[in-house]
Amino acid sequence: MTTYPGATGNGTPQSQESGSNAGFGQRVDQIGSEAQQLWTDASAAVTDLGQTLDLRGRVERNPYGMMVAALGVGYVLGGGLFTPLTARILRLGVRLAALPLVKDELLGMAESAFQGYQTGRSMAGSGGGSGEAQGSASVNATSAGTPRPPSY
């Protein structure tokens, strides 16, 4: 059984002596000093974290980037991670990330078609010539006309 200073065992009210009030005052002072210590420790931890991350320096070097980072952190902490807006943003991001791959494939196909067209024009324009020149032109035409496999 736990006993507290100034408490009686049978639950009867204590007399109004200065000793019983001193026990209560000491507890209040102790709680106040512990709260003060907790506040000091928390403040020191925040200061240490700020110095470690160099937030002031980062804000001075890149204020707009830090604003975007703060908005992103606030959005996530505010519960916006699993919303329809986030799903739309992710879909758009995936499409934009895939755009360079599609562009490279289209440029490769266009380049092959253009090389085939140039080879076909040179063959039609030559009309005659040596058999070796025509043979290399036909090899170029067949290699230019084959599509490349996609590279992912």
Side-chain angles (χ1 to χ4, degrees), residues 40-107:
T40 304
D41 291 345
S43 176
V46 168
T47 302
D48 289 344
L49 180 66
Q51 288 175 349
T52 302
L53 296 177
D54 187 29
L55 291 177
R56 290 191 190 276
R58 288 177 190 259
V59 169
E60 289 174 3
R61 289 187 302 268
N62 192 359
Y64 295 117
M66 290 302 288
M67 285 292 293
V68 169
L71 285 171
V73 168
Y75 184 76
V76 169
L77 292 178
L81 195 59
F82 300 107
T83 61
L85 176 64
T86 304
R88 280 187 235 134
I89 290 171
L90 286 176
R91 276 193 299 251
L92 179 65
V94 167
R95 288 178 186 164
L96 290 177
L99 188 63
L101 299 173
V102 172
K103 182 186 79 163
D104 289 343
E105 289 300 317
L106 289 175
L107 285 176

Side-chain angles (χ1 to χ4, degrees), residues 33-46:
S33 66
E34 288 175 0
Q36 182 81 23
Q37 184 64 34
L38 179 65
W39 182 259
T40 304
D41 291 345
S43 176
V46 168

Side-chain angles (χ1 to χ4, degrees), residues 100-113 115 141-152:
L101 299 173
V102 172
K103 182 186 79 163
D104 289 343
E105 289 300 317
L106 289 175
L107 285 176
M109 289 190 310
E111 185 179 84
S112 297
Q115 286 177 352
T142 57
S143 67
T146 58
R148 296 185 312 185
S151 59
Y152 296 114

